[in-house]
Every structure is written in C-alpha cells, then in structure tokens.
Amino acid sequence: MSRAITFSEYGAPEVLRLSEVDPPEPGPGQVRIRVRAASVNPFDLKIRSGRMAADAPVSFPVVPGLDAAGVVDAVGENAGAAVGDEVLGSTAGGSYAEYALLDRPVAKPPALSWEAAASLVTVGRTAHRVLEQLGVQEGQTLLVHGAGGSVGIIAVQLAAARGITVVGTAGEQDVERVTAMGARVVRYGDGWVGRVTAAAPQGVDFVLDASGAGVLADSVALTGDAGRVITIADTAAAEHGVRFSAGTSGQGEESVPELALLAARGKLTVPIWRTYPLAEAARAHTDLEARRNRGKAVLLP
C-alpha cells in the first residue's frame, strides 16, 4: 500500500483526506514514478469544489493533481523512460500521491529542482500554447492581465525572450518580481486602461487575460479586434467575441522538454512560493483560495 490524497465528495478543502491506496500499475507506454514533488494548480481547486462537475465529471474517490516529478520505479511496455530515470510530466490518475503514472515522461535536467520540475508543466504548456494561438511576433506589444500569476509570469518571460514588448497588470506586491521578468508593470484595478496606455503609447497589439477579472471588453477596445484577445480565465469570453483557451489532454506536451531546459539554464524562472508535506494538501488549497500565494504551491510526498 501507499499514501495518497483523495476526496470522495465535492466540497471545501477539508474533503481532502490522506488515504491508503494501492500503487497504480503502469499500462502500455506509461511509467510509474516515486513522486518527489507535485504542484498544486488552480484547476485542482475547481475540481475538488465541484465547480467543474458539469464539464469535467469525476468518479469518486479522486486523487487530485495534474503534474509531478519523480524517479521511475516501474514501466509499461514501450515506455518512454527506464527505471531509475528522473522525469517530470502530466499525470494519469492524479499526482497528490507517493506514486503516480506518467503517459509522456520528460527527462528532468539535473540542474532543475524537483519543485520547479513539477511546477512548470501545466503553467508552462498553457503559457506557450496561448502565445502560439495569439501569434504575437517580435517587435509587437503584448498585454498580460494577471502577470503575477503562475501562467502570467511564464508568459511574460517567454514573450520577452522573443523580443516582444510586454506590459503586465499585477498587484502592488507583485510589481518588483514581474518587472524583473521583463515586463512594464502597471497596477490592476480601476483606471488600468489609462495606466496601460501610458506604459505602451505605441499601442497594444495583443492581450492575454490570465486574471478573469472582467477585463475583456476594455481589452478588445484597446486592440480594436476581439481576435487579438485570448483568455484562460474568463468564462464570459464568448459574450465579447474572445477566444477561451482551455487546452486538451496532451496538448502542448511537445513544449515541455524545451521549457525544462530553459528553466535548468536559468532562462526561465518558475516562482515557488511554499512547499507542504503531502498530508497538508488541504492547507495548500486553503492558502490558494485565500490568494495568499506569490508563486507555486508544491506538495512533497
């Protein structure tokens, strides 16, 4: 037997329980890892609370979690890694556990910490995907709403590295660190349009909304074209003619090896806010729901 966090009903963080479970067995193409780190994503909170019940129904009991990094300890037929390899990736069947399955294991560079390795998968894939969908090019200007968040701060770095001028909206507490990542930062909230216009007098070519803070109408007005605005957080996107980018299972996996190498070489920073023992997953969820975090929360089984 092994330990995992499970929940058997939707609800508050307290529904998360430390349970004894059978270690999962890898199928064809899969590897099983002894988890060294598992990241906590906002999506996990939505699944646990039931907010995604209509779009992503589950079968109880559920082991939550999308991403993990660890050491391969068992492999299925034609698996993409060998026993003893250090890998990271998206999990099949949950990551809040001592053991997890990966369909597409990616080699973990030695210089990359376990915490960063587990944390960059979903947020990195998402940031990379939406930049590709927008088609923003070198010399153009991108506005990132929620630039201090986990996806926003990765998008800022990837865009700045491509020679794109980045303006980011963020809270006062995030201004310094987002500026250090390559963005011109303005405070979010009332009056943000004027502050963005002052920061980017040349105009805004594209907008990525990672905040879901009701900024789509003004963002469309800034660019003059709803097709130049994309959101990963505002479900009212269709009302404004804006694309909602949700991604699909496995989409963007091809970007993960590159992202891991960039992070290992110090060219991409994955901010880690706090680590928690596996048994304290409920506290991690509580902290994220209270928006106490300034970076990724990571579970250490």
Side-chain angles (χ1 to χ4, degrees):
M1 298 293 285
S2 63
R3 300 186 309 159
I5 296 294
T6 66
F7 65 97
S8 297
E9 60 180 330
Y10 294 125
E14 289 71 28
V15 301
L16 299 175
R17 299 276 189 253
L18 186 63
S19 306
E20 294 286 329
V21 300
D22 291 323
E25 294 298 327
Q30 292 182 324
V31 302
R32 184 176 70 195
I33 62 170
R34 178 68 169 88
V35 177
R36 295 291 299 273
S39 69
V40 180
N41 288 291
F43 184 78
D44 305 344
L45 281 60
K46 295 176 182 178
I47 291 291
R48 185 218 73 230
S49 68
R51 280 180 284 167
M52 296 290 292
D55 298 316
V58 301
S59 297
F60 296 119
V62 176
V63 177
L66 300 174
D67 312 319
V71 180
V72 177
D73 87 317
V75 299
E77 185 179 0
N78 298 318
V83 172
D85 287 352
E86 296 184 350
V87 297
L88 60 114
S90 301
T91 59
S95 64
Y96 293 16
E98 291 179 329
Y99 294 91
L101 300 178
L102 303 183
D103 287 326
R104 302 173 185 86
V106 172
K108 184 187 83 67
L112 189 62
S113 72
W114 291 111
E115 294 86 349
S119 295
L120 67 77
V121 182
T122 291
V123 296
R125 284 171 48 196
T126 301
H128 186 275
R129 181 186 76 238
V130 293
L131 290 178
E132 294 300 309
Q133 290 172 335
L134 279 173
V136 58
Q137 300 293 319
E138 180 180 359
Q140 294 181 314
T141 299
L142 171 69
L143 170 62
V144 178
H145 290 294
S150 296
V151 172
I153 207 158
I154 300 296
V156 165
Q157 295 174 79
L158 293 177
R162 298 178 185 183
I164 295 162
T165 298
V166 185
V167 179
T169 64
E172 192 66 38
Q173 68 278 5
D174 291 323
V175 169
E176 185 175 345
R177 69 187 184 95
V178 179
T179 299
M181 301 301 175
R184 304 175 185 175
V185 185
V186 302
R187 182 174 51 81
Y188 66 72
D190 291 345
W192 68 263
V193 174
R195 292 190 288 276
V196 167
T197 301
Q202 74 277 16
V204 171
D205 297 300
F206 293 93
V207 178
L208 161 58
D209 171 36
S211 71
V215 295
L216 296 183
D218 286 331
S219 295
V220 171
L222 271 177
T223 63
D225 181 357
R228 289 174 172 261
V229 181
I230 198 166
T231 182
I232 61 170
D234 194 332
T235 55
E239 298 174 19
H240 303 280
V242 169
R243 284 175 291 174
F244 185 95
S245 180
T248 57
S249 178
Q251 185 178 11
E253 289 284 353
E254 70 283 352
S255 66
V256 177
E258 176 189 357
L259 294 168
L261 286 173
L262 287 173
R265 293 169 181 166
K267 296 182 178 180
L268 179 66
T269 298
V270 185
I272 306 298
W273 175 65
R274 181 174 293 176
T275 61
Y276 301 79
L278 180 65
E280 295 184 12
R283 185 161 70 93
H285 276 221
T286 298
D287 287 345
L288 264 64
E289 288 186 336
R291 298 184 180 275
R292 298 189 182 107
N293 63 303
R294 296 291 175 264
K296 295 289 291 184
V298 181
L299 302 178
L300 304 179

